[in-house]
């Protein structure tokens, strides 16, 4: 800009000088004065007639051209400096913007890394801190069942729909190593709290659990309610406790190839404890279980799904309340009808032990689960103390028709149900046989009434399970149970269903689990 | 059954104790990467010779304030080696992971080495930057990290403020005007000292970098002494980066003994030599004399003398709504 002005100034000065000189020359010619002076002043060629003037004009023109060249040279010298400064300035601005963008991106990444995470999917709702030290999860299980009994002498009130389980499950972690689980159940006729416990995870091999939870004995019983093959567990599970309260030490060893659990609990009678939130006797129960899956991490595919172990318990039953007998409230059929209860006034009194060898096997779509339970319990009617030895066993098999892998846990369909795409989910056929034998001494010792109870039952069941997706499942199954040892007469219609006659029941279930 | 359970438990505990590897996590600030890389190797060798045990030391680096917050939020540091005492104080107060008197647990207020703030300029010093007055001139582009997140930036801020106070007979309004002019010349704020070094040296932004003394020397080594030169101002601040065992974490990890030894070894001749080689001013006078050529003489003021300690300085200048928030407009 400065050089341009300078150039204009030079040109204007030179041109101005020409006009000035021409004007002075014209004025001198007109007045006739100062002729010498006029001759000294150069003028435009058009106005001057002499050769000298022309030469002078030419000299001036050359002078102007020289000045213009100098100005141009100056312009050329100054122009690059300005451009360079401008370019450098722009370059800095671009670099600053680029760097600011990098910093903003880093800040965004850092912020995302420290922001709490919310996830919602097939595994439920989860809200966790960025470092996962704090996690809250919401799961749920809803099971709507129907039971239809056949050839039941028109006994009333047993056919129909029921909300078998309706459990919101609140679980999570605090301070990285402490887990918790709180599970109320709004299904059935009363609200219960099946699970309420905390677990400290020092290491996978060493975990301590306190609260109310499943007693670690029966294999089928320990399987999640959402994953069991049939609507109801088998007769074998009648002989193991359900929930119990206490302290449990547990862990997985050798990368999960073995697991153990050992605990001191209140003690619960056979398949009982769901509604119990307090204690009923002075002496604790010692429970334990070891389970091995030695090929779990091996390359031997055919053996990877083989597991076996044993669970058991030992306690001294000493119920200290009149209402708590320490005895089972009743052994039940698949249709949840009682076929054996002790007489009123009979109570547990002394040692009570259980042993349950167990195994399962899963290979491809095929699954097999079996267990045996043997128990001994000292029972008294006030006059005589008798050790009652009961036993039960079951074996169940499953086959996934659609080729998915069978599992002790949840089944994941290869293709979720979507008829628009021609996908129908996963289909599984299941079959089971189970037997429970009550010690015949219960009748001879006056502990139970053979005219109202059976001392044995055998049940077979078949079913078809449909997994629409990981969350929705539908079951259809039929169960047939026969009884031993009942000596009573066949009751009139509408009074007693079992064990006076066989039980035939058709189950359906629609389940939502997430 | 009870006996079996106890036997299993005991076996597991014994097995887990024997199988445990000794691991330490040192959560540090941005420019100490090279220092602790060298020091960790030396300490591991020392510890192996002393006890026969192998120790693996992991390092975590970032802006000092951010690192402290990470520890508060659960990053399980066994030791912290941060840029300033305030950040370790925050861990002690907010998370109660170490005792309030942590500063007195090691010599020299738990500061085994010191540093200061210098200028890094481009080769030939084209803008003629010699002292603090030069960097507040119009048209000078200054690179410095964010004092909200960087310990080094807080030291730099206070060094400039101290210079302005000294120059203006401790007129705080004049010092505040000075610092305002300085930050008007800052085009971009990184979160940590290493980020600012990258901004200046690698991205080619700015005329001067306000840097830790060791970071400036490192930049010469890494980015070329033919590209940059260090200018030591007439006055700067004595930066005292402290170290401490995060006692609760160390106790949980069963590393209390080795964590203490790890920090104490910083005061050993070898530890001091390593610090000096990495351009930290050693506390050991003999080592300091040996490496005197690495450190230009400069008048140093302390935060206690000039600003009444870290707690007051933090509250006045760097807390939300403090002087920095008032004078800096991004």
């Amino acid at each position: 800009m400065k050089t341009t002005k300078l150039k204009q100034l030079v040109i204007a000065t030179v041109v101005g000088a020409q006009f000035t000189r021409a004007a002075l020359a014209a004025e001198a010619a007109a007045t006739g004065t100062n002729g010498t002076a006029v001759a000294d002043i150069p003028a435009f060629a058009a106005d001057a007639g002499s050769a000298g003037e022309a030469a002078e004009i030419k000299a001036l023109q050359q002078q102007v051209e020289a000045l213009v060249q100098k100005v141009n040279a100056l312009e050329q010298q100054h122009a690059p400096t300005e451009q360079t400064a401008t370019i450098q300035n722009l370059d800095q601005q671009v670099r600053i913007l680029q760097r600011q963008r990098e910093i903003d991106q880093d800040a965004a990444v850092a912020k995302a890394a420290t922001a709490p995470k919310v996830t919602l999917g097939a595994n439920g709702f989860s809200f966790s801190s960025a470092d996962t030290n704090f996690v809250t999860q919401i799961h749920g299980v809803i099971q709507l069942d129907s039971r239809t009994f056949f050839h039941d002498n028109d006994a009333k009130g047993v056919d129909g729909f029921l909300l078998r389980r309706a459990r919101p499950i609140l679980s999570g972690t605090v301070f990285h190593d402490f887990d918790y689980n709180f599970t109320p159940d709004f299904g059935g006729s009363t609200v219960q709290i099946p699970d309420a416990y905390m677990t400290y995870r020092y290491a996978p091999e060493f975990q301590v659990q306190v609260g109310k939870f499943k007693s670690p004995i029966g294999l089928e019983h320990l399987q999640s309610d959402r994953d069991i093959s049939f609507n109801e567990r088998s007769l074998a599970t009648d002989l193991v406790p359900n929930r119990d309260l206490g302290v449990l030490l547990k862990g997985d060893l050798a990368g999960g190839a073995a697991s153990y659990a050992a605990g001191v609990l209140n003690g619960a009678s056979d398949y009982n404890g769901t509604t119990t939130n307090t204690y009923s006797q002075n002496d604790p129960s010692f429970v334990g279980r070891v389970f091995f899956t030695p090929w779990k991490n091996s390359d031997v595919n055919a053996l990877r799904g083989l597991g076996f172990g044993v669970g058991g318990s030992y306690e001294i039953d000493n119920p200290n309340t009149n209402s708590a007998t320490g005895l089972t409230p009743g052994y039940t059929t698949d249709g949840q009808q009682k076929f054996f209860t002790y007489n009123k006034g009979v109570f547990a009194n002394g040692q009570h032990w259980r042993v349950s060898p167990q195994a399962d096997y899963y290979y491809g779509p095929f699954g097999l689960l079996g267990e045996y339970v043997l128990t001994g319990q000292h029972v008294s009617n006030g006059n005589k103390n008798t050790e009652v030895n009961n036993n039960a066993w079951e074996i169940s098999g499953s086959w996934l028709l659609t080729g998915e892998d069978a599992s002790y846990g949840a089944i994941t369909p290869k293709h979720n149900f979507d008829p628009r795409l021609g996908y129908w989910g996963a289909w599984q056929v299941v079959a089971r046989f189970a037997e429970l034998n009550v010690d015949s001494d219960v009748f001879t010792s006056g502990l139970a009434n053979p005219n109202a109870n059976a001392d044995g039952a055998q049940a077979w069941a078949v079913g078809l399970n449909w997994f629409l997706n990981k969350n929705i499942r539908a079951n259809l199954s039929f169960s047939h149970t026969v009884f031993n040892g009942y000596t009573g007469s066949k009751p009139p219609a509408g009074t007693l269903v079992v064990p006076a006659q066989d039980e035939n029941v058709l189950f359906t279930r629609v389940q939502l689990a997430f | 059954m009870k006996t079996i359970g106890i036997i299993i438990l005991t076996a597991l505990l014994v097995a887990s104790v024997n199988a445990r590897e000794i691991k330490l996590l040192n959560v540090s600030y941005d420019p100490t990467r090279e220092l602790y890389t060298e020091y960790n190797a030396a300490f591991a060798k020392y510890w192996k010779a002393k006890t026969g045990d192998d120790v693996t030391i992991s390092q975590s680096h970032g802006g000092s304030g951010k690192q402290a917050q990470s520890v508060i939020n659960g990053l399980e540091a066994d030791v912290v080696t941060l840029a300033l005492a305030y950040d370790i104080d925050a861990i002690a107060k907010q998370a109660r992971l170490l005792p309030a008197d942590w500063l007195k647990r090691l010599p020299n207020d738990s500061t085994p080495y010191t540093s200061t703030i210098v200028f890094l300029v481009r080769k030939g010093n084209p803008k003629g930057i010699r002292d603090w007055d030069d960097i507040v001139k119009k048209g000078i582009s200054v690179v410095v990290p964010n004092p909200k997140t960087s310990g080094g930036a807080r030291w730099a801020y206070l060094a400039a403020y101290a210079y302005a106070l000294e120059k203006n007979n401790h007129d705080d309004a004049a010092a505040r005007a000075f610092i305002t002019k300085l930050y008007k010349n800052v085009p971009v704020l990184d979160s940590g000292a290493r980020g600012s070094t990258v901004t200046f040296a690698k991205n080619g932004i700015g005329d001067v970098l306000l840097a830790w003394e060791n970071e400036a020397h490192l930049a010469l080594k890494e980015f070329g002494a033919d590209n940059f030169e260090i200018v030591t101002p007439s006055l700067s601040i004595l930066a005292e980066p402290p170290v401490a065992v995060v006692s609760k974490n160390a106790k949980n990890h069963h590393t209390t003994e080795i964590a203490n030894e790890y920090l104490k070894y910083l005061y050993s001749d070898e530890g001091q030599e390593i610090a000096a080689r990495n351009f930290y001013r050693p506390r050991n006078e003999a080592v300091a004399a040996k490496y005197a050529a690495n450190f230009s003489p400069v008048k140093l003021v302390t935060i206690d003398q000039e600003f009444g300690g870290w707690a007051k300085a933090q509250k006045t200048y760097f807390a939300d709504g403090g002087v920095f928030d008032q004078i800096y407009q991004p």
Side-chain angles (χ1 to χ4, degrees), chain B residues 72-87:
Chain B
I72 291 167
N73 290 341
L75 180 60
E76 296 192 2
D78 298 283
V79 299
V80 285
T81 54
L82 296 178
L84 39 94
Y86 178 83
D87 289 334

Side-chain angles (χ1 to χ4, degrees), chain A residues 355-506:
Chain A
V355 175
S356 173
Q358 52 200 250
D360 62 4
Y361 178 66
Y362 298 95
Y363 182 58
F366 175 69
L368 196 64
L369 184 150
E371 66 184 312
Y372 178 75
V373 187
L374 181 63
T375 72
Q377 183 174 27
H378 286 259
V379 178
S380 173
N381 58 7
N383 299 319
K384 185 180 178 185
N385 193 314
T386 305
E387 181 177 9
V388 176
N389 293 112
N390 303 332
N391 67 77
W393 65 278
E394 69 123 337
I395 185 163
S396 64
S398 63
W399 183 270
L400 277 151
L401 303 172
T402 42
E404 288 81 359
D405 287 337
S407 168
Y408 185 73
I411 302 297
T412 303
K414 285 182 175 176
H415 301 289
N416 290 337
F417 173 72
D418 190 340
R420 289 161 298 196
L421 299 175
Y423 296 143
W424 300 96
W427 293 80
Q428 181 187 46
V429 290
V430 289
R432 180 173 74 194
F433 184 83
E435 179 174 5
L436 188 154
N437 298 301
V438 180
D439 194 326
S440 56
D441 283 351
V442 294
F443 292 154
T444 58
S445 301
L447 302 174
N449 179 6
N451 292 326
N453 297 283
D455 63 359
Q458 299 87 41
W460 60 260
V462 292
L464 180 67
N465 297 328
W466 180 23
F467 302 86
L468 284 77
N469 50 50
K470 205 171 176 180
N471 299 125
I472 305 288
R473 169 181 174 177
N475 299 356
L476 175 69
S477 63
F478 178 80
S479 173
H480 174 74
T481 305
V482 298
F483 305 97
N484 310 118
Y486 174 74
T487 57
S489 57
K490 189 169 182 178
T495 56
L496 185 64
V497 177
V498 295
Q501 61 179 22
D502 299 346
E503 179 187 83
N504 299 285
V505 57
L506 181 72

Side-chain angles (χ1 to χ4, degrees), chain A residues 178-476:
Chain A
F178 297 87
D179 297 338
Y180 62 88
N181 182 300
F182 176 69
T183 306
D185 188 358
F186 298 93
S189 54
T190 58
V191 177
Q192 300 174 356
I193 303 174
D195 296 300
Y197 58 85
M198 292 159 283
T199 305
Y200 170 60
R201 287 179 286 102
Y202 174 79
E205 298 84 2
F206 181 76
Q207 302 174 43
V208 180
Q209 185 166 301
V210 297
K212 184 181 180 184
F213 42 80
K214 285 183 178 178
S215 191
I217 299 176
L219 179 62
E220 183 190 41
H221 177 238
L222 289 170
Q223 192 171 29
S224 171
D225 297 318
R226 57 180 284 178
D227 299 326
I228 53 178
S229 296
F230 292 87
N231 281 29
E232 302 297 340
R233 292 181 171 86
S234 72
L235 293 168
T237 297
D238 276 354
L239 294 188
V240 300
N242 194 330
R243 260 72 174 183
D244 208 342
L245 284 82
V247 182
L248 194 68
L249 177 68
K250 64 178 187 176
D252 295 324
L253 307 174
S259 63
Y260 74 93
V264 180
L265 310 178
N266 274 347
S269 56
D270 293 347
Y271 207 61
N272 195 17
T274 306
T275 58
T276 303
N277 291 320
T278 60
Y279 60 94
S280 60
Q281 60 181 21
N282 289 322
D283 298 308
S285 172
F286 302 99
V287 299
R289 178 176 180 262
V290 288
F291 199 77
F292 303 94
T293 48
W295 294 279
K296 181 181 179 180
N297 303 316
S298 77
D299 295 328
V300 187
N301 289 340
L303 294 175
R304 229 185 252 168
L306 176 63
F308 53 87
V310 61
S313 66
Y314 177 82
E315 64 196 66
I316 302 295
D317 288 336
N318 179 26
N320 60 1
T321 66
N322 291 330
S323 58
T325 64
L327 298 173
T328 179
Y331 297 137
T332 60
T333 62
D334 291 356
Q336 301 300 290
Q337 300 187 90
K338 291 179 184 175
F339 67 89
F340 175 85
T341 55
Y342 286 98
N343 287 340
K344 193 172 182 181
V346 175
F347 55 92
N349 186 22
Q351 291 183 36
H352 183 190
W353 55 266
R354 303 178 182 93
V355 175
S356 173
Q358 52 200 250
D360 62 4
Y361 178 66
Y362 298 95
Y363 182 58
F366 175 69
L368 196 64
L369 184 150
E371 66 184 312
Y372 178 75
V373 187
L374 181 63
T375 72
Q377 183 174 27
H378 286 259
V379 178
S380 173
N381 58 7
N383 299 319
K384 185 180 178 185
N385 193 314
T386 305
E387 181 177 9
V388 176
N389 293 112
N390 303 332
N391 67 77
W393 65 278
E394 69 123 337
I395 185 163
S396 64
S398 63
W399 183 270
L400 277 151
L401 303 172
T402 42
E404 288 81 359
D405 287 337
S407 168
Y408 185 73
I411 302 297
T412 303
K414 285 182 175 176
H415 301 289
N416 290 337
F417 173 72
D418 190 340
R420 289 161 298 196
L421 299 175
Y423 296 143
W424 300 96
W427 293 80
Q428 181 187 46
V429 290
V430 289
R432 180 173 74 194
F433 184 83
E435 179 174 5
L436 188 154
N437 298 301
V438 180
D439 194 326
S440 56
D441 283 351
V442 294
F443 292 154
T444 58
S445 301
L447 302 174
N449 179 6
N451 292 326
N453 297 283
D455 63 359
Q458 299 87 41
W460 60 260
V462 292
L464 180 67
N465 297 328
W466 180 23
F467 302 86
L468 284 77
N469 50 50
K470 205 171 176 180
N471 299 125
I472 305 288
R473 169 181 174 177
N475 299 356
L476 175 69

Side-chain angles (χ1 to χ4, degrees), chain B residues 221-237:
Chain B
K221 284 172 67 176
E222 188 171 340
F223 297 102
D226 53 341
N227 293 321
F228 307 99
E229 57 187 73
I230 294 172
V231 173
T232 305
S234 62
L235 180 146
S236 195
I237 197 159

Side-chain angles (χ1 to χ4, degrees), chain A residues 91-92 95-96 99-100 102-103 110 131 133 176 202 205-206 249 253 260 262 286-290 312-314, chain B residues 1-2 5 8-9 12-13 16 66 73-74 141 187-191 195-196 198-199 202-206 254:
Chain A
D91 178 64
Q92 278 288 297
R95 287 169 187 262
I96 288 167
R99 183 61 178 156
Q100 190 61 56
E102 288 172 6
I103 291 170
D131 57 10
N133 280 341
H176 189 267
Y202 174 79
E205 298 84 2
F206 181 76
L249 177 68
L253 307 174
Y260 74 93
F286 302 99
V287 299
R289 178 176 180 262
V290 288
S313 66
Y314 177 82
Chain B
M1 192 59 70
K2 185 180 181 183
I8 291 171
L9 171 60
L12 283 168
L13 287 173
S16 67
K66 285 176 69 176
N73 290 341
S141 180
V188 57
L189 284 176
D190 285 276
S191 62
S196 281
V198 169
T199 296
K202 192 175 175 185
N203 293 22
I205 294 171
H254 307 290

